[in-house]
């Protein structure tokens, strides 16, 4: 697990030995159709459909940070907005906007819809939302180790789910950004944003979208030095992540891991579509490029 190749970031290092027990994984990320069944059955209201609580927000920022303006404390979510032209890629606020009315039913704002996108992955779901769905479905979120094991699909020494060849804009292997990020997409109409979950080939385990389309929540907390601690062991068996969360970029924020990259990844900025690439986000955050899939242990399937 992990990598030390030229594209690897600090939190992917060092590679370390892991063993996981057998498990079954959803063939695709959870779709809008599936998530709607959950909401219709339970009446569940997602995080993005509720106004944020000021006290919870202030726990995630350094002491003395000014409170956000009252008009921002509304039901909303984060939505990607292309910039008008080339920009320096050191400030993500240039292409993310806090949009009132954005949620899983309206992924990019109140004027958007999932009609006709029933087989696209559900997005604008927080970690809490993903956990609630998994529990309802009799499943759970994958550990980060399970996710990485599944992404390889039994292959060894490969950087990507399709092998070691670099991404091809002429014959794309997955759904990521094509063109110049974050202002110019060269994709044909209908392929900008999420796509149907079975648009691209499955990996050798029959799993679709293990790379690209949407990032996928895992059950593990994020700690920047967790891999270094795991590497001290001869082998880590069924690891479930660190006991505490720590991201030096936002030291007061609790964060969980998500994996796989999304339709916004591009080699010029984010090679998050590499198998070992990691990302982290607060559990109450939802974005229009972040979804999830579920797992169940192998013994559960065998008893059916």
């Amino acid at each position: 697990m992990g990598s030390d190749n030229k594209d690897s970031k600090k939190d992917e290092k060092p590679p370390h030995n892991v063993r996981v027990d057998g498990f079954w994984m959803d063939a695709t990320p959870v779709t809008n159709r599936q998530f709607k069944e959950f909401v219709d059955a339970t009446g569940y209201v997602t995080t993005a459909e509720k106004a944020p609580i000021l006290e919870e927000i202030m726990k995630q920022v350094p002491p003395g940070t000014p409170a956000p303006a009252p008009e921002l404390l509304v039901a909303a979510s984060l939505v990607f907005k292309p910039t008008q032209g080339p920009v320096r890629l050191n400030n993500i606020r240039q292409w993310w906007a806090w949009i009132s009315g954005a949620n899983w039913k309206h992924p990019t704002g109140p004027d958007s819809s999932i009609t006709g996108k029933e087989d696209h992955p559900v997005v604008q779901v927080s970690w809490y939302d993903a956990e609630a769905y998994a529990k309802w479905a009799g499943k759970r979120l994958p550990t980060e180790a399970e996710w990485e094991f599944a992404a390889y699909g039994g292959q060894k020494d490969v950087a990507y789910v399709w092998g070691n060849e670099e991404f091809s804009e002429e014959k794309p292997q997955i759904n990521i950004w094509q063109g110049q990020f974050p202002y110019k997409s060269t994709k044909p109409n209908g392929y900008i944003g999420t796509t149907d979950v079975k648009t691209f080939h499955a990996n050798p385990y029959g799993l679709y979208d293990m790379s690209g389309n949407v990032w996928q929540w895992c059950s593990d907390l994020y700690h920047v030095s967790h891999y270094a601690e795991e590497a001290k062991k001869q082998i880590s068996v069924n690891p479930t992540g660190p006991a505490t969360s720590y991201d030096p970029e936002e030291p007061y924020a609790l964060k969980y891991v998500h994996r796989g990259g999304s339709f916004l990844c591009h080699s010029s900025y984010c090679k998050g579509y590499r198998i070992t690439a990691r990302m982290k986000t607060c559990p109450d955050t939802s974005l229009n490029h972040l979804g999830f899939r579920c797992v169940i242990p192998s013994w559960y399937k065998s008893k059916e």
Side-chain angles (χ1 to χ4, degrees), residues 102-287:
N103 55 55
W104 75 274
K105 292 178 288 189
H106 308 285
T108 58
D111 295 331
S112 64
S113 170
I114 58 172
T115 300
K117 298 181 178 180
E118 288 80 6
D119 293 321
H120 284 223
V122 65
V123 294
Q124 298 295 18
V125 284
S126 70
W127 185 87
Y128 298 123
D129 301 332
E131 276 277 282
Y133 173 94
K135 184 177 181 180
W136 170 80
K139 304 178 182 181
R140 61 171 171 79
L141 295 180
T143 65
E144 190 177 11
E146 288 171 336
W147 192 96
E148 186 167 314
F149 178 88
Y152 275 108
Q155 303 171 99
K156 294 184 178 181
D157 301 321
V158 294
Y160 312 108
V161 296
W162 64 85
N164 280 316
E165 303 80 16
E166 291 298 325
F167 176 77
S168 168
E169 294 211 356
E170 291 72 32
K171 295 181 179 180
Q173 298 96 328
I174 56 172
N175 179 18
I176 60 174
W177 188 275
Q178 293 172 234
Q180 288 78 46
F181 183 83
Y183 66 96
K184 181 182 179 182
S185 174
T186 57
K187 289 184 177 181
N189 289 336
Y191 286 86
I192 299 173
T194 58
T195 53
D196 284 0
V197 292
K198 292 188 176 180
T199 298
F200 295 90
H201 293 299
N203 79 353
Y205 282 166
L207 302 171
Y208 295 85
D209 284 356
M210 290 302 288
S211 180
N213 216 6
V214 293
W215 287 98
Q216 299 162 37
W217 286 114
C218 293
S219 61
D220 303 41
L221 287 168
Y222 174 84
H223 196 296
V224 66
S225 61
H226 179 57
Y227 278 23
E229 291 300 313
E230 289 292 281
K232 296 176 182 178
K233 305 173 184 178
Q234 184 175 3
I235 188 168
S236 184
V237 181
N238 294 321
T240 56
T244 58
S245 168
Y246 180 68
D247 177 3
E249 296 177 359
E250 294 183 287
Y252 292 89
L254 178 76
K255 293 191 176 183
Y256 282 83
V257 174
H258 49 95
R259 302 289 296 263
S262 79
F263 65 86
L264 293 179
C265 285
H266 189 266
S267 60
S268 66
Y269 170 65
C270 164
K271 263 191 161 182
Y273 52 90
R274 292 178 297 106
I275 290 174
T276 60
R278 312 174 72 208
M279 188 55 70
K280 67 279 187 185
T281 298
C282 297
D284 58 356
T285 299
S286 47
L287 305 102

Side-chain angles (χ1 to χ4, degrees), residues 11-53:
D11 64 1
E12 297 172 49
K13 303 174 183 179
H16 52 282
N17 295 320
V18 173
R19 187 176 78 229
V20 294
D21 290 338
F23 60 95
W24 297 87
M25 176 176 269
D26 290 344
T28 73
V30 173
T31 64
N32 287 317
R33 186 192 312 278
Q34 292 170 315
F35 198 78
K36 183 177 185 300
E37 291 175 359
F38 159 61
V39 171
D40 289 347
T42 64
Y44 184 84
V45 179
T46 62
T47 304
E49 296 173 275
K50 298 177 285 190
I53 300 171

